[in-house]
Amino acid sequence: QVQLVQSGAEVKKPGASVKVSCKASGYTFTSYDINWVRQATGQGLEWMGWMNPNSGNTGYAQKFQGRVTMTRNTSISTAYMELSSLRSEDTAVYYCARACYGCYGMDVWGQGTTVTVSS
Amino acid sequence: SYELTQPPSVSVSPGQTARITCSGDALPKKYAYWYQQKSGQAPVLVIYEDSKRPSGIPERFSGSSSGTMATLTISGAQVEDEADYYCYSTDSSGNRPFGGGTKLTVL
């Protein structure tokens, strides 16, 4: 079945970077964009950006420009999201999500990765 | 930056119709998407491109859009529909915000 499996929870110190992985299976990885969305505890969903796994093209939310990098390894059908210069406000659950074919919506979601930023 | 506005909460009794609105300046030209998120779970797409329903989503979920407002309608809401609902869209600059979310209570 179609699924996205994310890497495990991370604990980082302020100023560090974190890299979260998202492994796709059950479909052609290069045919669907991957989005990243985060959610702080008790808060709403926040879109971070998208990546086209075929071309590697990306688009980032203005808030994260300069701090986020989305990449992929097509040989292992895995997408990555790296966030740098972490601060406490970056503590959240990070989701990868596949864009539905030909549209902006996200129809398949990973299970989420908890990133905790604490000194 | 582009913003989508939702009511913080909506409450209905079981069997009633729940309507959740989402307003945004770009909605006349851009599609709205709706997600359901239950506590501790990843979001689930329930409506895409204003009014289309993914396979597996019950028929009681429907969507519409007119002018600067999109609406998610749950006809005959059930207790299991209690969740947070988020609208999502884009604008001409490539921004893709979520609405602030609406907590639906069915009791």
mmCIF file of all heavy atoms in Angstrom, chain A residues 4 22 24 27-36 50-58 70-75 77-80 97-99:
data_model
loop_
_atom_site.group_PDB
_atom_site.id
_atom_site.type_symbol
_atom_site.label_atom_id
_atom_site.label_comp_id
_atom_site.label_asym_id
_atom_site.label_seq_id
_atom_site.Cartn_x
_atom_site.Cartn_y
_atom_site.Cartn_z
ATOM 1 N N LEU A 4 4.153 6.585 3.588
ATOM 2 C CA LEU A 4 5.338 7.384 3.866
ATOM 3 C C LEU A 4 5.753 7.071 5.299
ATOM 4 O O LEU A 4 4.949 7.209 6.221
ATOM 5 C CB LEU A 4 5.032 8.876 3.720
ATOM 6 C CG LEU A 4 4.570 9.356 2.341
ATOM 7 C CD1 LEU A 4 4.128 10.809 2.396
ATOM 8 C CD2 LEU A 4 5.681 9.177 1.315
ATOM 9 N N CYS A 22 11.932 10.761 5.030
ATOM 10 C CA CYS A 22 10.568 10.341 4.694
ATOM 11 C C CYS A 22 10.682 9.340 3.549
ATOM 12 O O CYS A 22 10.971 9.728 2.412
ATOM 13 C CB CYS A 22 9.787 11.582 4.273
ATOM 14 S SG CYS A 22 8.144 11.310 3.575
ATOM 15 N N ALA A 24 9.251 6.716 0.926
ATOM 16 C CA ALA A 24 8.011 6.410 0.211
ATOM 17 C C ALA A 24 8.011 4.973 -0.291
ATOM 18 O O ALA A 24 9.062 4.437 -0.662
ATOM 19 C CB ALA A 24 7.853 7.364 -0.961
ATOM 20 N N TYR A 27 4.286 3.423 -4.517
ATOM 21 C CA TYR A 27 3.978 4.245 -5.687
ATOM 22 C C TYR A 27 5.300 4.728 -6.283
ATOM 23 O O TYR A 27 6.372 4.549 -5.696
ATOM 24 C CB TYR A 27 3.081 5.427 -5.323
ATOM 25 C CG TYR A 27 3.752 6.542 -4.532
ATOM 26 C CD1 TYR A 27 4.237 7.681 -5.169
ATOM 27 C CD2 TYR A 27 3.903 6.451 -3.144
ATOM 28 C CE1 TYR A 27 4.850 8.700 -4.457
ATOM 29 C CE2 TYR A 27 4.522 7.472 -2.422
ATOM 30 C CZ TYR A 27 4.984 8.590 -3.069
ATOM 31 O OH TYR A 27 5.603 9.601 -2.355
ATOM 32 N N THR A 28 5.216 5.372 -7.451
ATOM 33 C CA THR A 28 6.416 5.903 -8.105
ATOM 34 C C THR A 28 6.811 7.218 -7.448
ATOM 35 O O THR A 28 6.137 8.251 -7.609
ATOM 36 C CB THR A 28 6.165 6.113 -9.611
ATOM 37 O OG1 THR A 28 5.773 4.865 -10.196
ATOM 38 C CG2 THR A 28 7.435 6.626 -10.292
ATOM 39 N N PHE A 29 7.901 7.172 -6.715
ATOM 40 C CA PHE A 29 8.331 8.295 -5.869
ATOM 41 C C PHE A 29 8.472 9.594 -6.663
ATOM 42 O O PHE A 29 8.114 10.673 -6.184
ATOM 43 C CB PHE A 29 9.667 7.924 -5.214
ATOM 44 C CG PHE A 29 10.300 9.009 -4.396
ATOM 45 C CD1 PHE A 29 9.685 9.515 -3.262
ATOM 46 C CD2 PHE A 29 11.559 9.516 -4.758
ATOM 47 C CE1 PHE A 29 10.292 10.508 -2.493
ATOM 48 C CE2 PHE A 29 12.170 10.508 -3.991
ATOM 49 C CZ PHE A 29 11.536 10.990 -2.861
ATOM 50 N N THR A 30 8.974 9.497 -7.877
ATOM 51 C CA THR A 30 9.275 10.706 -8.654
ATOM 52 C C THR A 30 8.054 11.322 -9.317
ATOM 53 O O THR A 30 8.161 12.364 -9.970
ATOM 54 C CB THR A 30 10.336 10.409 -9.722
ATOM 55 O OG1 THR A 30 9.936 9.250 -10.472
ATOM 56 C CG2 THR A 30 11.704 10.165 -9.098
ATOM 57 N N SER A 31 6.898 10.722 -9.151
ATOM 58 C CA SER A 31 5.698 11.214 -9.835
ATOM 59 C C SER A 31 4.841 12.175 -9.007
ATOM 60 O O SER A 31 3.878 12.748 -9.536
ATOM 61 C CB SER A 31 4.824 10.036 -10.284
ATOM 62 O OG SER A 31 5.490 9.273 -11.271
ATOM 63 N N TYR A 32 5.162 12.327 -7.741
ATOM 64 C CA TYR A 32 4.323 13.157 -6.862
ATOM 65 C C TYR A 32 5.200 14.064 -6.002
ATOM 66 O O TYR A 32 6.166 13.604 -5.389
ATOM 67 C CB TYR A 32 3.482 12.289 -5.926
ATOM 68 C CG TYR A 32 2.505 11.366 -6.594
ATOM 69 C CD1 TYR A 32 2.936 10.167 -7.174
ATOM 70 C CD2 TYR A 32 1.148 11.671 -6.650
ATOM 71 C CE1 TYR A 32 2.041 9.316 -7.780
ATOM 72 C CE2 TYR A 32 0.243 10.810 -7.250
ATOM 73 C CZ TYR A 32 0.700 9.637 -7.812
ATOM 74 O OH TYR A 32 -0.192 8.788 -8.407
ATOM 75 N N ASP A 33 4.816 15.341 -5.909
ATOM 76 C CA ASP A 33 5.530 16.254 -5.021
ATOM 77 C C ASP A 33 5.422 15.793 -3.569
ATOM 78 O O ASP A 33 4.456 15.142 -3.183
ATOM 79 C CB ASP A 33 4.947 17.668 -5.116
ATOM 80 C CG ASP A 33 5.272 18.350 -6.437
ATOM 81 O OD1 ASP A 33 6.039 17.775 -7.246
ATOM 82 O OD2 ASP A 33 4.743 19.456 -6.657
ATOM 83 N N ILE A 34 6.423 16.172 -2.793
ATOM 84 C CA ILE A 34 6.404 15.942 -1.348
ATOM 85 C C ILE A 34 6.355 17.304 -0.645
ATOM 86 O O ILE A 34 7.139 18.204 -0.972
ATOM 87 C CB ILE A 34 7.637 15.162 -0.869
ATOM 88 C CG1 ILE A 34 7.609 13.724 -1.407
ATOM 89 C CG2 ILE A 34 7.713 15.174 0.673
ATOM 90 C CD1 ILE A 34 6.599 12.809 -0.746
ATOM 91 N N ASN A 35 5.432 17.448 0.281
ATOM 92 C CA ASN A 35 5.327 18.652 1.101
ATOM 93 C C ASN A 35 5.776 18.328 2.529
ATOM 94 O O ASN A 35 5.733 17.185 2.970
ATOM 95 C CB ASN A 35 3.884 19.144 1.165
ATOM 96 C CG ASN A 35 3.390 19.722 -0.136
ATOM 97 O OD1 ASN A 35 3.395 20.924 -0.345
ATOM 98 N ND2 ASN A 35 2.938 18.854 -1.042
ATOM 99 N N TRP A 36 6.181 19.376 3.238
ATOM 100 C CA TRP A 36 6.492 19.253 4.664
ATOM 101 C C TRP A 36 5.617 20.220 5.433
ATOM 102 O O TRP A 36 5.475 21.392 5.053
ATOM 103 C CB TRP A 36 7.960 19.514 4.921
ATOM 104 C CG TRP A 36 8.841 18.421 4.390
ATOM 105 C CD1 TRP A 36 9.369 18.320 3.144
ATOM 106 C CD2 TRP A 36 9.280 17.251 5.100
ATOM 107 N NE1 TRP A 36 10.096 17.165 3.026
ATOM 108 C CE2 TRP A 36 10.068 16.501 4.220
ATOM 109 C CE3 TRP A 36 9.092 16.770 6.407
ATOM 110 C CZ2 TRP A 36 10.663 15.293 4.578
ATOM 111 C CZ3 TRP A 36 9.688 15.579 6.774
ATOM 112 C CH2 TRP A 36 10.459 14.854 5.864
ATOM 113 N N TRP A 50 7.562 22.607 -0.413
ATOM 114 C CA TRP A 50 7.343 21.438 -1.272
ATOM 115 C C TRP A 50 8.619 21.140 -2.051
ATOM 116 O O TRP A 50 9.493 21.999 -2.221
ATOM 117 C CB TRP A 50 6.204 21.681 -2.259
ATOM 118 C CG TRP A 50 6.454 22.815 -3.224
ATOM 119 C CD1 TRP A 50 6.138 24.131 -3.048
ATOM 120 C CD2 TRP A 50 7.120 22.742 -4.497
ATOM 121 N NE1 TRP A 50 6.555 24.873 -4.126
ATOM 122 C CE2 TRP A 50 7.168 24.067 -5.036
ATOM 123 C CE3 TRP A 50 7.683 21.707 -5.236
ATOM 124 C CZ2 TRP A 50 7.739 24.349 -6.267
ATOM 125 C CZ3 TRP A 50 8.254 21.991 -6.469
ATOM 126 C CH2 TRP A 50 8.275 23.306 -6.961
ATOM 127 N N MET A 51 8.683 19.898 -2.546
ATOM 128 C CA MET A 51 9.784 19.481 -3.384
ATOM 129 C C MET A 51 9.264 18.548 -4.467
ATOM 130 O O MET A 51 8.408 17.686 -4.195
ATOM 131 C CB MET A 51 10.854 18.747 -2.568
ATOM 132 C CG MET A 51 12.049 18.295 -3.393
ATOM 133 S SD MET A 51 13.077 17.111 -2.541
ATOM 134 C CE MET A 51 11.952 15.748 -2.367
ATOM 135 N N ASN A 52 9.741 18.721 -5.670
ATOM 136 C CA ASN A 52 9.457 17.805 -6.762
ATOM 137 C C ASN A 52 10.570 16.764 -6.788
ATOM 138 O O ASN A 52 11.724 17.101 -7.110
ATOM 139 C CB ASN A 52 9.397 18.577 -8.084
ATOM 140 C CG ASN A 52 9.081 17.676 -9.262
ATOM 141 O OD1 ASN A 52 9.784 16.688 -9.503
ATOM 142 N ND2 ASN A 52 8.033 17.991 -9.978
ATOM 143 N N PRO A 53 10.283 15.514 -6.458
ATOM 144 C CA PRO A 53 11.347 14.505 -6.378
ATOM 145 C C PRO A 53 11.987 14.186 -7.728
ATOM 146 O O PRO A 53 13.095 13.661 -7.771
ATOM 147 C CB PRO A 53 10.632 13.275 -5.810
ATOM 148 C CG PRO A 53 9.418 13.819 -5.134
ATOM 149 C CD PRO A 53 9.003 14.992 -5.963
ATOM 150 N N ASN A 54 11.310 14.475 -8.804
ATOM 151 C CA ASN A 54 11.868 14.181 -10.122
ATOM 152 C C ASN A 54 12.949 15.202 -10.490
ATOM 153 O O ASN A 54 14.068 14.832 -10.851
ATOM 154 C CB ASN A 54 10.755 14.184 -11.161
ATOM 155 C CG ASN A 54 11.261 13.772 -12.534
ATOM 156 O OD1 ASN A 54 12.002 12.794 -12.671
ATOM 157 N ND2 ASN A 54 10.884 14.524 -13.558
ATOM 158 N N SER A 55 12.596 16.478 -10.387
ATOM 159 C CA SER A 55 13.527 17.539 -10.773
ATOM 160 C C SER A 55 14.391 18.042 -9.617
ATOM 161 O O SER A 55 15.447 18.633 -9.847
ATOM 162 C CB SER A 55 12.749 18.726 -11.338
ATOM 163 O OG SER A 55 11.922 19.286 -10.313
ATOM 164 N N GLY A 56 13.903 17.862 -8.408
ATOM 165 C CA GLY A 56 14.587 18.434 -7.247
ATOM 166 C C GLY A 56 14.175 19.870 -6.978
ATOM 167 O O GLY A 56 14.642 20.483 -6.011
ATOM 168 N N ASN A 57 13.303 20.418 -7.812
ATOM 169 C CA ASN A 57 12.833 21.787 -7.596
ATOM 170 C C ASN A 57 12.104 21.890 -6.260
ATOM 171 O O ASN A 57 11.423 20.959 -5.825
ATOM 172 C CB ASN A 57 11.894 22.214 -8.712
ATOM 173 C CG ASN A 57 12.625 22.455 -10.019
ATOM 174 O OD1 ASN A 57 13.855 22.557 -10.043
ATOM 175 N ND2 ASN A 57 11.881 22.524 -11.105
ATOM 176 N N THR A 58 12.254 23.053 -5.634
ATOM 177 C CA THR A 58 11.646 23.272 -4.312
ATOM 178 C C THR A 58 10.956 24.625 -4.251
ATOM 179 O O THR A 58 11.227 25.526 -5.047
ATOM 180 C CB THR A 58 12.707 23.230 -3.199
ATOM 181 O OG1 THR A 58 13.725 24.210 -3.499
ATOM 182 C CG2 THR A 58 13.337 21.865 -3.060
ATOM 183 N N MET A 70 15.128 21.168 1.413
ATOM 184 C CA MET A 70 14.438 19.904 1.099
ATOM 185 C C MET A 70 15.174 19.219 -0.044
ATOM 186 O O MET A 70 15.413 19.835 -1.089
ATOM 187 C CB MET A 70 12.983 20.188 0.740
ATOM 188 C CG MET A 70 12.221 20.769 1.906
ATOM 189 S SD MET A 70 10.514 21.214 1.506
ATOM 190 C CE MET A 70 10.047 22.043 3.047
ATOM 191 N N THR A 71 15.525 17.974 0.160
ATOM 192 C CA THR A 71 16.287 17.217 -0.823
ATOM 193 C C THR A 71 15.703 15.820 -0.966
ATOM 194 O O THR A 71 14.732 15.479 -0.280
ATOM 195 C CB THR A 71 17.766 17.108 -0.401
ATOM 196 O OG1 THR A 71 17.818 16.486 0.908
ATOM 197 C CG2 THR A 71 18.433 18.470 -0.335
ATOM 198 N N ARG A 72 16.285 15.033 -1.877
ATOM 199 C CA ARG A 72 15.795 13.665 -2.038
ATOM 200 C C ARG A 72 16.896 12.761 -2.546
ATOM 201 O O ARG A 72 17.904 13.224 -3.097
ATOM 202 C CB ARG A 72 14.586 13.607 -2.986
ATOM 203 C CG ARG A 72 14.888 13.485 -4.479
ATOM 204 C CD ARG A 72 15.458 14.751 -5.058
ATOM 205 N NE ARG A 72 15.488 14.693 -6.519
ATOM 206 C CZ ARG A 72 16.399 15.276 -7.274
ATOM 207 N NH1 ARG A 72 17.397 15.970 -6.716
ATOM 208 N NH2 ARG A 72 16.343 15.202 -8.584
ATOM 209 N N ASN A 73 16.694 11.461 -2.345
ATOM 210 C CA ASN A 73 17.552 10.426 -2.917
ATOM 211 C C ASN A 73 16.606 9.489 -3.659
ATOM 212 O O ASN A 73 15.903 8.685 -3.041
ATOM 213 C CB ASN A 73 18.320 9.690 -1.817
ATOM 214 C CG ASN A 73 19.277 8.657 -2.382
ATOM 215 O OD1 ASN A 73 19.053 8.117 -3.472
ATOM 216 N ND2 ASN A 73 20.322 8.366 -1.649
ATOM 217 N N THR A 74 16.556 9.622 -4.963
ATOM 218 C CA THR A 74 15.581 8.846 -5.734
ATOM 219 C C THR A 74 15.903 7.356 -5.733
ATOM 220 O O THR A 74 15.006 6.535 -5.891
ATOM 221 C CB THR A 74 15.499 9.355 -7.179
ATOM 222 O OG1 THR A 74 16.803 9.314 -7.771
ATOM 223 C CG2 THR A 74 14.988 10.795 -7.223
ATOM 224 N N SER A 75 17.173 7.005 -5.533
ATOM 225 C CA SER A 75 17.547 5.581 -5.567
ATOM 226 C C SER A 75 16.932 4.804 -4.400
ATOM 227 O O SER A 75 16.765 3.590 -4.476
ATOM 228 C CB SER A 75 19.065 5.426 -5.564
ATOM 229 O OG SER A 75 19.602 5.862 -4.331
ATOM 230 N N SER A 77 14.051 6.239 -2.804
ATOM 231 C CA SER A 77 12.700 6.798 -2.659
ATOM 232 C C SER A 77 12.514 7.527 -1.332
ATOM 233 O O SER A 77 11.514 7.330 -0.615
ATOM 234 C CB SER A 77 11.633 5.690 -2.799
ATOM 235 O OG SER A 77 11.709 5.085 -4.058
ATOM 236 N N THR A 78 13.460 8.354 -1.007
ATOM 237 C CA THR A 78 13.430 9.041 0.282
ATOM 238 C C THR A 78 13.600 10.553 0.107
ATOM 239 O O THR A 78 14.477 10.995 -0.628
ATOM 240 C CB THR A 78 14.519 8.493 1.215
ATOM 241 O OG1 THR A 78 14.287 7.099 1.425
ATOM 242 C CG2 THR A 78 14.513 9.212 2.559
ATOM 243 N N ALA A 79 12.749 11.285 0.806
ATOM 244 C CA ALA A 79 12.831 12.738 0.846
ATOM 245 C C ALA A 79 13.377 13.166 2.208
ATOM 246 O O ALA A 79 13.206 12.455 3.210
ATOM 247 C CB ALA A 79 11.458 13.359 0.621
ATOM 248 N N TYR A 80 14.029 14.316 2.216
ATOM 249 C CA TYR A 80 14.624 14.830 3.449
ATOM 250 C C TYR A 80 14.241 16.292 3.651
ATOM 251 O O TYR A 80 14.106 17.054 2.688
ATOM 252 C CB TYR A 80 16.149 14.737 3.400
ATOM 253 C CG TYR A 80 16.681 13.351 3.158
ATOM 254 C CD1 TYR A 80 16.955 12.912 1.869
ATOM 255 C CD2 TYR A 80 16.906 12.468 4.216
ATOM 256 C CE1 TYR A 80 17.436 11.637 1.629
ATOM 257 C CE2 TYR A 80 17.392 11.194 3.993
ATOM 258 C CZ TYR A 80 17.655 10.781 2.690
ATOM 259 O OH TYR A 80 18.129 9.515 2.459
ATOM 260 N N ALA A 97 4.185 14.813 3.453
ATOM 261 C CA ALA A 97 2.890 14.475 2.859
ATOM 262 C C ALA A 97 3.009 14.525 1.347
ATOM 263 O O ALA A 97 3.601 15.456 0.794
ATOM 264 C CB ALA A 97 1.818 15.447 3.349
ATOM 265 N N ARG A 98 2.423 13.536 0.692
ATOM 266 C CA ARG A 98 2.455 13.469 -0.763
ATOM 267 C C ARG A 98 1.340 14.333 -1.340
ATOM 268 O O ARG A 98 0.195 14.293 -0.882
ATOM 269 C CB ARG A 98 2.259 12.019 -1.207
ATOM 270 C CG ARG A 98 2.414 11.781 -2.688
ATOM 271 C CD ARG A 98 2.037 10.369 -3.094
ATOM 272 N NE ARG A 98 0.590 10.227 -3.252
ATOM 273 C CZ ARG A 98 0.018 9.199 -3.877
ATOM 274 N NH1 ARG A 98 0.761 8.234 -4.364
ATOM 275 N NH2 ARG A 98 -1.299 9.135 -3.986
ATOM 276 N N ALA A 99 1.684 15.121 -2.363
ATOM 277 C CA ALA A 99 0.663 15.900 -3.040
ATOM 278 C C ALA A 99 -0.164 14.992 -3.938
ATOM 279 O O ALA A 99 0.377 14.097 -4.594
ATOM 280 C CB ALA A 99 1.300 17.004 -3.871
#
